[in-house]
Amino acid sequence: MTDRNSIVKIAVISLIATAVIAYIVINSKSDYRPIVVGDKAPTFVLPLLSGGKIDLAKERGKVVFLNFWATWCTACKEEMASMQWMYNKLMKKYPDKFRMYAISIDSSDVPDIVIKYMKDNGLSFPVLLDTKGRVKEMYKTTGVPETYVVDKRGVVAIKVIGPRDWYNPVNYQPIESLIAKD
């Protein structure tokens, strides 16, 4: 009888362990769903490098360009000059309808490295600090650079993985079309 009880206990324990593992696997897969075009953009509040905070929810009615980047990212540096050019062009033409935020995922709590990077590269667009990676996790980014363009209703209209040449009309005109659209 003890052998039979031992077999039953082992079977029950195995069945419970299998159920727990299956539950963990199923739930962990369902938790990861990247933000895609057509999704409502997750809202957040982050500190600005220059001081103050930005609340994405308060940007409704504007087209918002969000670029996740880091100072150590070579591909990010490749696109920054063209981002600056596009920022200047679109802010001059649409000052009340467009915003650009470069979201630094550098983990340092001291923003000196980001300040130096911006100065050394002649960049003046606004930078948000995501030092804890909270917003990066909300957007489920796959790396840097990664860009999301949020339309006036707060919906992701464009998603770009990797660097882009924002000087190229093929890349910036869809954004300008979103801004000009009523």
Side-chain angles (χ1 to χ4, degrees):
M1 200 64 135
T2 19
D3 286 342
R4 184 176 170 97
N5 286 343
S6 294
I7 293 171
V8 169
K9 282 181 185 178
I10 291 171
V12 168
I13 290 170
S14 296
L15 190 59
I16 290 171
T18 302
V20 168
I21 290 169
Y23 176 81
I24 290 169
V25 168
I26 289 168
N27 284 326
S28 68
K29 284 185 180 178
S30 65
D31 284 345
Y32 181 79
R33 183 185 170 281
I35 302 299
V36 296
V37 170
D39 285 349
K40 189 169 180 73
T43 58
F44 57 82
V45 176
L46 280 177
L48 271 162
L49 180 64
S50 59
K53 293 184 182 218
I54 292 297
D55 181 345
L56 186 63
K58 292 183 179 176
E59 299 292 355
R60 285 281 155 71
K62 299 174 183 87
V63 171
V64 182
F65 180 99
L66 301 172
N67 177 268
F68 290 86
W69 71 287
T71 57
W72 45 261
C73 168
T74 305
C76 298
K77 190 171 183 176
E78 289 174 17
E79 74 176 348
M80 290 283 187
S82 65
M83 279 175 53
Q84 182 67 54
W85 173 85
M86 183 175 68
Y87 173 75
N88 293 342
K89 174 184 176 68
L90 296 178
M91 284 302 291
K92 182 177 181 182
K93 195 169 180 182
Y94 307 101
D96 299 326
K97 296 181 178 184
F98 176 70
R99 294 292 179 265
M100 176 185 284
Y101 299 111
I103 303 173
S104 170
I105 65 162
D106 288 284
S107 60
S108 172
D109 288 328
V110 181
D112 293 345
I113 190 169
V114 179
I115 291 169
K116 181 177 178 352
Y117 183 93
M118 296 296 287
K119 184 179 177 185
D120 290 352
N121 290 287
L123 305 170
S124 65
F125 46 76
V127 173
L128 302 176
L129 301 172
D130 188 23
T131 58
K132 306 259 187 288
R134 187 178 55 82
V135 176
K136 178 182 79 131
E137 290 300 316
M138 289 169 66
Y139 278 76
K140 300 196 177 29
T141 61
T142 57
V144 287
E146 195 160 313
T147 302
Y148 296 81
V149 179
V150 180
D151 71 14
K152 295 173 186 176
R153 299 169 300 135
V155 174
V156 175
I158 299 169
K159 179 179 178 178
V160 178
I161 297 174
R164 284 295 181 271
D165 172 6
W166 299 106
Y167 295 120
N168 188 330
V170 169
N171 294 323
Y172 79 79
Q173 281 181 341
I175 297 167
E176 190 166 12
S177 293
L178 282 173
I179 300 167
K181 189 174 170 183
D182 284 329

